[in-house]
Amino acid sequence: CLDTGWVSSVGKFVDRFEQQLADYTGVKRAVAVVNGTAALHVCLQLAGVEPGDEVLVPTLTFIATANAVSYCGAVPHFVDSEEKTLGIDPAKLDAYLADIAELRPGGCFNKESGRRIKAVLPMHTFGHPVDLDPLLDICERYRLELVEDAAESLGSTYKGRHTGHWGKVSALIFNVKKIMTTGGGGAILTNDEELGELAKHLTTT
Ligand SMILES: *Cc1c(COP(=O)(O)O)cnc(C)c1O
């Protein structure tokens, strides 16, 4: 890579890496980025998170999950984790939303804060996939976008499909503490070609 002189965000090694990530995880498009926080930040923007929105995040995660929400000008809204997966507890979330959420023409709103709840950002702790089926069901009923923080779950599958496959967009992370490292780095995964293009545009401009 150094010999080619192509050491930045373009070049055949970046393309190859992105293709290998897509092939391995089974998603249509992978876009390599500078770090995991940036991956999460852009994922949330691609999911339509806007300033003033709320994003549901697990209580048990690394701070970057919540920071990425803040970087969108949105508000992290913490929800309970469960013992078995150590991720978001879908049953508790369902009961909680029945209590505090209200569907209006503009989406799902938090009756207490008045803010729109735009997305759910589960994290697959130590590689254990969150129970995604009931979570997807909640997202459909409450019109929320699912964005996966797959920082710790490269190689993990849920019902035969790789984590990062289930969200509208998902983040993989390659810092030194992760399953695979590039020193620092991350990737955005998506099955939506258009969002993939937009991810590439946003992260290279
Ligand atoms: C490591 C990690 C991140 C952040 O990755 P950086 O590359 O350090 O920005 C985000 N979320 C989770 C769950 C992580 O473990």
Side-chain angles (χ1 to χ4, degrees), residues 34-40 60-66 123-125 149-152 171-178 183-186:
V34 66
N35 63 39
T37 306
L40 286 166
L60 180 66
T61 184
F62 179 58
I63 188 71
T65 315
M123 196 275 280
H124 306 294
T125 311
D149 182 341
E152 304 180 2
L172 286 176
I173 300 174
F174 311 123
N175 82 21
V176 290
K177 299 170 291 181
K178 300 298 145 68

Side-chain angles (χ1 to χ4, degrees), residues 132-162:
L132 286 158
D133 273 343
L135 214 50
L136 284 162
D137 179 57
I138 291 171
C139 287
E140 205 179 304
R141 279 187 285 117
Y142 285 94
R143 289 192 266 136
L144 304 169
E145 301 292 358
L146 181 78
V147 179
E148 297 172 71
D149 182 341
E152 304 180 2
S153 63
L154 182 63
S156 296
T157 57
Y158 176 79
K159 300 198 173 163
R161 271 167 77 193
H162 204 284

Side-chain angles (χ1 to χ4, degrees), residues 60 80-90 123-131 158-159:
L60 180 66
D80 272 345
S81 301
E82 55 127 340
E83 276 177 31
K84 190 163 161 243
T85 66
L86 301 177
I88 287 179
D89 185 326
M123 196 275 280
H124 306 294
T125 311
F126 307 142
H128 297 289
V130 168
D131 198 0
Y158 176 79
K159 300 198 173 163

